[in-house]
Amino acid sequence: MSMVRIAPEINLVLDPDTGTVTQERKDSIQYSMEPVFERMDKLDAVADDLLNSLSPSKPLLNSWPGRENTSYMAGFYGNTFYGVVIGLAFSGLLALIIYISSLMKGVV
């Protein structure tokens, strides 16, 4: 952060960021907060990405554009596949039980 010296003989300086004129003091030190703000912006982007990962319709930070609903569609197709497989297995087991019970009617 730079200061503009208005009147060096009476120690007046201008802070260009805030536009304030004040007396320069030897016992105070000013630091630039730009590196801290840059890191905070990166952390804010990571935190937003973490929240967006919980929603299937939000874009992720490191994904290609247009892939907002990818996890939603993958979940839909995956659950549909497993539902069909489990449904066919259950129907096949039920058909086998019905067939065995119809064969056993004549024996019992």
Side-chain angles (χ1 to χ4, degrees):
M1 186 181 320
S2 63
M3 294 289 205
V4 177
R5 297 187 191 283
I6 297 175
E9 58 276 353
I10 56 174
N11 296 329
L12 281 181
V13 292
L14 169 74
D15 184 7
D17 291 335
T18 60
T20 57
V21 176
T22 184
Q23 182 179 5
E24 183 179 26
R25 296 175 34 187
K26 300 292 181 191
D27 61 340
S28 66
I29 300 174
Q30 288 187 338
Y31 292 103
S32 175
M33 296 300 284
E34 274 306 310
V36 175
F37 291 148
E38 288 174 7
R39 287 191 177 189
M40 288 298 292
D41 290 339
K42 287 180 184 177
L43 284 175
D44 190 36
V46 170
D48 287 342
D49 187 48
L50 182 63
L51 286 176
N52 287 344
S53 71
L54 299 174
S55 175
S57 61
K58 300 280 177 125
L60 297 177
L61 189 63
N62 290 330
S63 68
W64 295 96
R67 295 193 177 184
E68 288 84 19
N69 290 327
T70 304
S71 59
Y72 175 76
M73 295 306 291
F76 177 76
Y77 288 130
N79 289 333
T80 301
F81 173 76
Y82 287 120
V84 167
V85 168
I86 291 173
L88 287 175
F90 181 73
S91 299
L93 185 63
L94 187 63
L96 184 65
I97 291 172
I98 291 173
Y99 177 70
I100 290 174
S101 68
S102 70
L103 289 178
M104 294 183 69
K105 278 187 183 177
V107 176
V108 177

